[in-house]
């Protein structure tokens, strides 16, 4: 059974994602059945002659389909980003949240919102501040000489994240309380409500430009996971490779945060689950992290818009799941990272 799962793992993951997407399309306040989906798709893509409800078609194509695609892309991208961070820093506790990338990207997006920039402007600014936050974290950790450099890195990331979050609070304090402040607050809680197909195209383009290079650098990630000394003996310029991977990983985080707000913990939780199932080889770990992260965020988003009478921010749900997992991970880290 295990051999079959390993042999057809990608096919199983793709089928699972498609299955979850179809189920999610039918769930929501506006009832849509599987037969409705079949008829609407038949009319839209194959020109079949079915009498379809135009309101139902709008809900399907303009509301549910864009946010389902966004959940898969963003969840997968954040998971790949977290897996890459954990590999290059050789640390299971590292994630975009811990290193300050999310807080940095949040500041850039908040600045973009308060100045009413376009989505492209918000994403570029979010990327710049996300990179800046990770760079500051890295710089501070290298200047503090301690026996436990991993602990120094994590503490530096928490400090930098606190500083950038303080700037976000300052922006909220001076923001227009009737227009900009509610927009920033709602965005910080994380939501896929306002996603449309134009956002999907931008998000997919930017994230593919990061996902593809990261996959081609999977061998470097494998070697860096064993430590700098082992990587240098194989002729790898560790600083250069690490910088390139940080740039692509932060771009994944920043572009996702700029579109949907702060959705934490996915970059920490999902890579560990993927590593336990698929193994530590980044050739398998990166695709597995993407599919599992996409499935996880899709399930969370579907729950947030169907379980409660009002839509629940998905950032809160991911935090409720991620924080206990982090405590378990801290206890488990004493026995080593496998």
């Amino acid at each position: 059974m295990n051999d079959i799962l390993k042999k057809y793992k990608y096919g199983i993951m793709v089928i699972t994602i498609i299955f979850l997407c179809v189920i999610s399309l039918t769930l929501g306040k506006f009832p849509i059945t599987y037969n409705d989906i079949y008829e609407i798709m038949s009319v839209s893509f194959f020109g079949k002659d079915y009498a379809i409800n135009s309101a139902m078609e709008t809900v399907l194509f303009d509301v549910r389909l864009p946010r389902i695609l966004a959940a898969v892309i963003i969840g997968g991208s954040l998971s790949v980003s977290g897996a890459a961070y954990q590999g290059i820093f050789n640390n299971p506790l590292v994630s975009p949240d811990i290193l300050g990338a999310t807080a940095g990207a949040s500041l850039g997006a908040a600045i973009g919102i308060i100045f009413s920039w376009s989505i492209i402007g918000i994403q570029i600014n979010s990327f710049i501040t996300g990179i800046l936050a990770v760079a500051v974290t890295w710089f501070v950790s290298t200047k503090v000489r301690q026996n436990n450099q991993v602990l120094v890195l994590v503490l530096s990331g928490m400090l930098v994240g606190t500083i950038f979050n303080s700037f976000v609070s300052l922006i909220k304090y001076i923001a227009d309380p009737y227009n900009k402040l509610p927009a920033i607050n709602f965005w910080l809680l994380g939501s896929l409500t306002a996603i449309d197909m134009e956002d999907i195209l931008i998000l997919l383009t930017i994230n593919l430009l990061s996902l593809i290079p990261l996959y081609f650098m999977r061998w470097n990630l494998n070697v860096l996971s064993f430590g700098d000394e082992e990587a240098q003996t194989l002729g790898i310029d560790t600083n250069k490779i690490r910088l390139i991977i940080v740039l692509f990983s932060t771009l994944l985080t920043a572009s996702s945060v700029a579109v949907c707000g702060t959705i934490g913990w996915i970059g920490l939780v999902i890579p560990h689950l993927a590593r336990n199932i698929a193994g530590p080889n980044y050739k398998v770990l990166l695709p597995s992290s993407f599919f599992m992260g996409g499935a996880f965020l899709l399930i969370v988003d579907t729950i947030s818009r169907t379980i409660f009478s009002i839509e629940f921010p998905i950032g809160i749900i991911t935090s409720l799941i991620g924080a206990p997992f982090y405590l378990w991970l801290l206890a488990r880290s004493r026995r080593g990272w496998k």
Side-chain angles (χ1 to χ4, degrees), residues 262-337:
T262 305
I263 301 177
W265 301 100
I266 292 180
L268 176 66
V269 174
I270 301 302
H272 285 282
L273 296 178
R275 189 175 286 106
N276 286 335
I277 294 173
N281 188 341
Y282 274 84
K283 180 181 178 180
V284 182
L285 179 59
L286 289 179
S288 300
S289 295
F290 182 85
F291 287 122
M292 292 182 66
F296 174 76
L297 188 57
L298 177 57
I299 293 172
V300 168
D301 181 56
T302 304
I303 291 173
S304 75
R305 64 182 175 82
T306 56
I307 297 297
F308 308 101
S309 58
I310 59 172
E311 185 165 329
F312 211 69
I314 53 179
I316 294 176
I317 299 177
T318 57
S319 297
L320 289 173
I321 297 173
F325 184 86
Y326 190 69
L327 290 174
W328 172 80
L329 190 61
L330 278 174
R332 186 176 181 270
S333 64
R334 296 176 181 175
R335 298 196 292 269
W337 183 26

Side-chain angles (χ1 to χ4, degrees), residues 81-322:
S81 175
Y85 272 118
Q86 290 167 10
I88 60 174
F89 290 109
N90 195 22
N91 186 337
L93 303 180
V94 171
S95 73
D97 306 318
I98 301 300
L99 289 183
T102 302
S106 299
L107 175 61
I111 293 173
I113 292 174
I114 201 170
F115 287 108
S116 302
W117 292 349
S118 66
I119 183 65
I120 295 292
I122 292 175
Q123 286 190 326
I124 292 174
N125 200 49
S126 181
F127 170 67
I128 293 173
T129 50
I131 285 286
L132 178 63
V134 176
V136 173
T137 298
W138 197 351
F139 177 77
V140 171
S141 67
T142 57
K143 295 301 177 184
V144 179
R145 296 296 177 189
Q146 293 288 334
N147 291 331
N148 192 341
Q149 283 302 121
V150 170
L151 179 61
V152 172
L153 179 67
V154 172
L155 291 177
S156 301
M158 294 175 67
L159 175 65
V160 171
T162 301
I163 293 173
F164 275 77
N165 280 327
S166 298
F167 282 116
V168 173
S169 298
L170 178 63
I171 289 176
K172 289 166 61 179
Y173 182 75
I174 63 176
D176 171 17
Y178 300 105
N179 187 14
K180 301 297 182 183
L181 182 58
I184 294 174
N185 279 332
F186 185 73
W187 176 86
L188 286 175
L189 293 174
S191 175
L192 300 175
T193 304
I195 296 286
D196 57 28
M197 290 308 292
E198 185 178 350
D199 295 328
I200 296 297
L201 291 176
I202 296 172
L203 186 66
L204 188 61
T205 302
I206 294 176
N207 287 18
L208 280 178
L209 292 176
S210 299
L211 290 169
I212 293 174
L214 282 177
Y215 183 72
F216 280 109
M217 298 180 75
R218 56 191 182 276
W219 182 79
N220 302 92
L221 282 165
N222 280 333
V223 177
L224 283 172
S225 298
F226 292 107
D228 280 14
E229 291 184 4
E230 288 79 359
Q232 288 167 357
T233 58
L234 294 173
I236 291 180
D237 185 340
T238 54
N239 289 330
K240 180 181 177 182
I241 294 298
R242 187 172 279 124
L243 178 61
I244 294 172
I245 293 174
V246 165
L247 284 172
F248 286 127
S249 301
T250 304
L251 179 58
L252 282 178
T253 302
S255 61
S256 301
V257 169
V259 169
C260 66
T262 305
I263 301 177
W265 301 100
I266 292 180
L268 176 66
V269 174
I270 301 302
H272 285 282
L273 296 178
R275 189 175 286 106
N276 286 335
I277 294 173
N281 188 341
Y282 274 84
K283 180 181 178 180
V284 182
L285 179 59
L286 289 179
S288 300
S289 295
F290 182 85
F291 287 122
M292 292 182 66
F296 174 76
L297 188 57
L298 177 57
I299 293 172
V300 168
D301 181 56
T302 304
I303 291 173
S304 75
R305 64 182 175 82
T306 56
I307 297 297
F308 308 101
S309 58
I310 59 172
E311 185 165 329
F312 211 69
I314 53 179
I316 294 176
I317 299 177
T318 57
S319 297
L320 289 173
I321 297 173

